[in-house]
């Protein structure tokens, strides 16, 4: 069975129809910041909103992750709301090899010779380069500062980048808000089963124990039923698959599709309705289990029926889906292929499932994983420790000005920084938060702990900025700032 | 006139005949730590001396610079002496593309496709990779620690690397001793004329004002005399050149050769005799000027004669040199070509000379510099700010556990950290120190300030280690350590 490499990020559209406005810009970016074998450059896309910006105010810089940057820009409302309060310039930078930022155009993914330039280290250096460029643009003769303070923001993999940007390049960004950033989801730090254990716990706690049991029992039943052609056909019909299952490979793809769906429902368990990849109601975990539990069953076929009833919440909430394509990427905006490559090179996150979770058992087998990588991309992970060597794992006690936030309903909290590291590196937990709930725009249905996290971010940013301005502004201008709300 | 790109490092042999013992080892090193276009590895050489090492004691890691690592190993006696006191493991790691560490063998320097992998960032990542490997080797079942504390050491460019290793990878090294490390010799930080101004000041102060004047006047006289063929021949004869000057290019090479010699004499103005590239007496600046000043002159030919008398100190102190080859690299152990490449890519150090120094006037012209780089290597510096973007320039206030030492007689102190940055990043000055005098083995003729610097290093290392052991050792073992001299 293919190992679960679940995409880090799913974004709901903030409010149907509402759109944050941005100007799209491009910067000529060196392809390789660390070697000098090539002087190739490419166009890196970034989005700018300067409608709130006033002189000497900060830059809020979203460190784009594995997907089209406009999706992130539309779904990180918190940054927008805070920029309005603080007079900040808003930048959303697209991660190389995602969205429109394809260094080699259509050839970008064709071989390691091109795709090999997709790495988190290169992406961080891109952001440093872009920030330097922005400083030159937005510091002018009216500025009292030589450099504007920059706060990096990011959710999920973007949150990892936001934190690492501060850690590796503290002269480029003053502080970082890293939401649901699993910087410890690596070898030797987080046991591989933790992620799936959380998925299970959340479905059990917010859904029901029955719901967990149904899913848990389903895997062997699926395999039993699917051992015959007619069984495969029945499953295909029950789950409205566009193409009938024909082989064991098809069955595995189908079971993966189910697994990822369960995970996704948990990741985005926001309290308000969302137009996802597919639309979902608020509190989808509860709704999912409640639908599933409403079907009483006393045999295998009944269990499958119950499961399919639950799954329809995800696949067909609006009742307009004709059939389910299990081979399709969940969201065309997410660069699943790019992320798979990163997971094979520098973002190697060991995952496994055991008897303690609701997934089909799957051990973490690095050799097999490496073989799969080689088959798919022609690369092998150098070793499992690459991300530790690059970013230090848990040894971040010398870092400063970072807030890590984690929703405890989010399975990615398994690899998150869920305790304060020092008086400079803080952690805030949202017991009722899902995957980077706090970066989303304010919603009246938000849990109090999500609201608190946003306030926590704001207070920390204020503190960093105040220190920065105190050090860098002429005294009279600093004093004048003190009289305004945000210093 | 070719811009002065003076090699950072010249090492004298500690004591003629005495040799520090090392075992030579090799590690398979990934060619590219930051991208995944290739899985090529190469053999990186490193030297080990474990004769003082005992369990749980630190690793002293010399971050090799632009030359054969065995030369550094033989000329960094301080590290050796301190390791004996502290029971440390001694490692000297060779910088990629220097010495025996040629990733592509004889083809390493053939084009940017190969030579482009020579960069300070890749070298730092090499060291992190090697240190990780050493941890696995030297932490065993007898260890009370999970990781040994590592102190990085380096002089000159090696000192820059030692400091940056701590700054970028604080989880890899606990602290750094960065001697004569001009991490601020970059665009926008240090005025380009400062280096040559110090050369001039030192020759004036330790030599004589006459000596400075003679050199200063010489450039136009050389150009006047060399305007005829017979003049070129006379100069060639006076300076015992192996090949007579024939063209203006030859003349420029000759004048560069002189310029670099004046700089070198200052850099290595140690109080004791040294067997250099060529042997020199102690206090060579004083001796050089005294010889030169002993020749009274009242015309151009006389001035040239005086100059040649001084220069002989450097070229023929033992009286065995037959002729001077001005095209030859000063020391075969130094990778001048590699350094020239680095100076064209990530170590771009603007240099110029003005009326205030004794050199022929030469402006810093980035365009011309870039053209020269392109002519020589087929690469151009991306821009002058590359090293600032990579390493932050003066903004290192978040760094910790670094001591920067600078000899004030060393022209490279122009780009050094010559004031404390914070309570975590210290600077110590040696008013009578030359280029990384403090890293050399103790000599009874050492100035008191050089001796103090070594003590300063030792105390800081002790402090870092004590904190480390307090945090990482079981209490009983820590307490036992307290009873020994070094904690």
């Amino acid at each position: 069975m293919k190992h679960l490499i679940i995409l880090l990020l799913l974004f709901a559209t903030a409010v149907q129809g509402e759109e944050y406005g941005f100007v799209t810009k491009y910067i000529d970016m060196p392809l390789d910041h660390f070697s000098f074998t090539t002087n190739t450059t490419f166009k890196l896309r970034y989005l700018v909103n300067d409608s709130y910006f006033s002189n000497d105010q900060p830059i809020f810089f979203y460190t784009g992750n594995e997907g089209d940057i406009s999706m992130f820009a539309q779904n990180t409302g918190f940054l927008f709301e805070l920029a309005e309060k603080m007079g900040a310039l808003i930048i959303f930078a697209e991660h190389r090899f995602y969205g429109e930022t394809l260094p080699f155009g259509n050839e970008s993914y064709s071989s390691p010779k091109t795709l090999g330039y997709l790495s988190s280290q290169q992406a961080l250096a891109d952001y440093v380069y872009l920030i330097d460029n922005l400083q030159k643009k937005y510091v002018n003769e009216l500025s009292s500062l030589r450099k504007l303070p920059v706060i990096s923001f990011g959710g999920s993999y973007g949150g990892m980048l936001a934190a690492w940007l501060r850690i590796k390049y503290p002269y480029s960004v003053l502080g970082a808000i890293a939401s649901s950033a699993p910087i410890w989801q690596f070898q030797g730090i987080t046991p591989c089963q933790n992620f799936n254990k959380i998925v299970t716990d959340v479905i059990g706690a917010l859904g029901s124990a029955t719901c967990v049991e149904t899913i848990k029992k389903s895997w062997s039943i699926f395999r039993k039923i699917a051992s015959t052609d007619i069984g495969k056909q029945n499953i295909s019909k029950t789950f409205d698959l566009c193409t009938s299952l024909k082989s064991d490979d098809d069955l595995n793809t189908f079971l993966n599709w189910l697994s990822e769906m369960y995970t996704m429902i948990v990741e985005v368990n926001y309290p308000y309705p969302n137009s996802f990849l597919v639309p979902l109601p608020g509190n989808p975990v509860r709704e999912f289990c409640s639908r599933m539990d409403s079907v009483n069953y006393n045999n295998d076929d009944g269990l499958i029926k119950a499961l399919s009833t639950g799954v329809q919440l995800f696949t067909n909430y609006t009742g307009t889906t004709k059939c389910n394509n299990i081979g399709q990427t969940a969201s065309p905006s997410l660069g699943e292929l790019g992320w798979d490559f990163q997971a094979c090179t520098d973002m190697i996150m060991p995952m496994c499932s055991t008897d303690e979770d609701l997934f089909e058992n799957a051990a973490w087998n690095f050799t097999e994983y490496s073989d799969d990588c080689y088959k798919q991309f022609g690369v092998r992970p150098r070793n499992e420790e690459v991300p530790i060597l690059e970013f230090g794992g848990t040894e971040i006690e010398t870092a400063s000005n970072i807030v890590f936030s984690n929703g405890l309903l989010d399975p990615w909290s398994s690899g998150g920084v869920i305790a304060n590291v020092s008086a400079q590196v803080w952690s805030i937990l949202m017991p009722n938060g899902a995957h980077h709930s706090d970066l989303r725009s304010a919603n009246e249905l938000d849990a109090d702990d999500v609201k608190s996290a946003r306030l926590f971010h704001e207070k920390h940013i204020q503190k960093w900025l105040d220190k920065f301005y105190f050090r860098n502004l002429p005294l009279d201008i600093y004093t004048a700032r003190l009289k305004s709300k945000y210093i």
Side-chain angles (χ1 to χ4, degrees), chain A:
Chain A
M1 186 181 168
K2 178 174 166 273
H3 288 288
L4 284 175
I5 299 298
I6 297 150
L7 275 170
L8 292 182
L9 239 156
L10 296 170
F11 275 104
T13 302
V15 177
Q16 199 70 23
E18 187 191 315
E19 287 244 323
Y20 295 118
F22 289 95
V23 174
T24 302
K25 301 210 172 185
Y26 299 88
I27 179 173
D28 287 321
M29 187 60 72
L31 181 64
D32 192 340
H33 296 275
F34 301 96
S35 300
F36 300 92
T37 59
T38 172
N39 57 6
T40 303
T41 61
F42 65 93
K43 300 276 178 206
L44 185 130
R45 177 165 66 140
Y46 65 102
L47 310 178
V48 182
N49 181 316
D50 62 1
S51 57
Y52 305 123
F53 180 60
S54 61
N55 205 29
D56 290 337
Q57 297 302 103
I59 298 176
F60 286 177
F61 189 95
Y62 188 92
T63 49
N65 26 332
E66 74 286 18
D68 189 299
I69 192 60
S70 57
M71 181 182 62
F72 300 111
Q74 291 309 325
N75 288 279
T76 312
F78 169 64
L79 195 151
F80 212 83
E81 290 157 7
L82 196 61
E84 185 171 6
K85 280 193 197 175
M86 291 193 171
L89 176 70
I90 304 170
I91 303 289
F92 279 81
E94 190 159 72
H95 193 297
R96 53 166 63 196
F97 287 87
Y98 294 103
E100 286 184 13
T101 300
L102 299 172
F104 299 91
N106 291 338
E107 296 300 306
S108 297
Y109 278 69
S110 62
S111 89
K113 288 279 159 225
T114 52
L115 188 53
Y117 290 104
L118 165 55
S119 79
S120 54
Q121 293 268 25
Q122 297 283 6
L124 290 173
D126 290 343
Y127 298 152
V128 172
Y129 192 91
L130 172 55
I131 287 169
D132 181 63
N133 185 275
L134 294 169
Q135 293 284 7
K136 287 175 186 127
K137 257 186 208 151
Y138 289 92
V139 174
N140 55 38
E141 65 279 2
L142 298 174
S143 308
S144 306
L145 295 167
R146 207 173 49 84
K147 274 175 86 170
L148 300 176
V150 180
I151 309 295
S152 57
F153 292 78
S156 199
Y157 170 50
M160 299 162 81
L161 294 172
W164 288 332
L165 192 57
R166 169 65 189 169
I167 290 173
K168 287 279 181 200
Y169 303 93
Y171 45 91
S172 181
V173 300
L174 175 66
I177 302 296
S179 177
S180 300
I183 64 163
W184 292 347
Q185 193 75 42
F186 295 121
Q187 170 62 20
I189 305 178
T190 298
C192 60
Q193 67 270 25
N194 286 17
F195 182 96
N196 289 326
K197 186 76 175 49
I198 295 176
V199 173
T200 306
D201 290 348
V202 171
I203 293 181
L206 302 186
S208 69
T210 318
C211 185
V212 168
E213 275 313 300
T214 303
I215 296 172
K216 196 164 176 160
K217 280 190 229 155
S218 71
W219 310 107
S220 60
I221 293 172
F222 276 122
R223 294 210 178 267
K224 197 171 77 187
I225 295 177
S227 64
T228 67
D229 286 349
I230 195 96
K232 288 197 186 78
Q233 210 171 62
N234 284 340
I235 292 171
S236 307
K237 206 175 287 173
T238 308
F239 284 86
D240 299 317
L241 304 189
C242 299
T243 312
S244 272
L245 304 178
K246 291 198 177 56
S247 64
D248 282 358
D249 273 0
D250 288 353
L251 177 68
N252 287 335
T253 305
F254 169 70
L255 297 181
N256 272 329
W257 176 76
L258 283 179
S259 295
E260 297 200 5
M261 203 180 305
Y262 305 146
T263 303
M264 286 173 184
I265 291 174
V266 173
E267 284 184 7
V268 296
N269 188 59
Y270 305 124
Y272 42 83
N274 280 277
S275 288
F276 284 114
L277 334 162
V278 293
L280 273 185
N283 301 305
V285 171
R286 192 176 61 201
E287 184 66 18
F288 166 70
C289 286
S290 137
R291 288 187 178 210
M292 201 149 82
D293 294 350
S294 70
V295 180
N296 287 314
Y297 62 87
N298 51 21
N299 61 17
D300 289 356
D301 287 345
L303 181 145
I304 297 299
K305 184 68 204 157
L307 208 64
S308 78
T309 305
V311 161
Q312 277 175 31
L313 175 84
F314 194 87
T315 59
N316 199 12
Y317 182 55
T318 56
T320 57
T321 304
K322 291 216 174 79
C323 63
N324 295 311
N325 183 350
I326 60 170
Q328 198 178 44
T329 303
S331 160
S333 298
L334 283 171
E336 196 168 349
L337 193 63
W339 182 253
D340 283 350
F341 179 79
Q342 291 198 256
C344 280
T345 50
D346 64 353
M347 292 294 108
I348 307 150
M349 298 180 172
M351 291 281 182
C352 62
S353 30
T354 69
D355 285 345
E356 288 185 62
D357 60 58
L358 53 68
F359 296 98
E360 192 170 25
N361 279 8
W364 169 249
N365 181 330
F366 182 64
T367 311
E368 199 182 292
Y369 185 80
S370 172
D371 289 346
D372 286 350
C373 287
Y374 191 75
K375 217 177 293 170
Q376 191 178 4
F377 295 111
V379 298
R380 289 179 183 282
R382 274 203 291 274
N383 61 57
E384 291 182 77
E385 285 166 1
V386 167
I388 312 284
L389 292 187
E390 287 181 331
F391 301 113
T394 56
E395 297 183 67
I396 56 169
E397 65 276 2
T398 56
S400 59
N401 294 7
I402 305 174
V403 174
F404 289 98
S405 61
N406 281 283
L408 293 186
L409 304 182
D410 175 15
W412 287 108
S413 65
S414 61
V417 177
I418 54 170
N420 292 339
V421 171
S422 69
Q424 304 290 319
V425 176
W426 295 75
S427 166
I428 181 157
L429 301 181
M430 301 173 286
N432 296 296
H435 202 41
H436 47 65
S437 299
D438 49 336
L439 288 192
R440 302 180 57 76
S441 51
N443 188 297
E444 55 185 7
L445 294 174
D446 279 326
D448 283 347
D449 49 40
V450 171
K451 291 177 187 164
S452 296
R454 294 198 186 107
L455 205 60
F456 193 81
H457 298 328
E458 188 177 330
K459 292 294 171 196
H460 276 276
I461 293 170
Q462 264 187 274
K463 185 183 65 181
W464 303 332
L465 289 176
D466 186 37
K467 201 166 169 186
F468 176 89
Y469 286 123
F470 179 71
R471 283 186 181 173
N472 292 284
L473 279 179
L475 188 61
D476 55 331
I477 298 178
Y478 175 74
T479 312
R481 282 188 70 85
L482 280 178
K483 293 176 188 158
S484 72
K485 189 175 169 200
Y486 282 99
I487 53 174

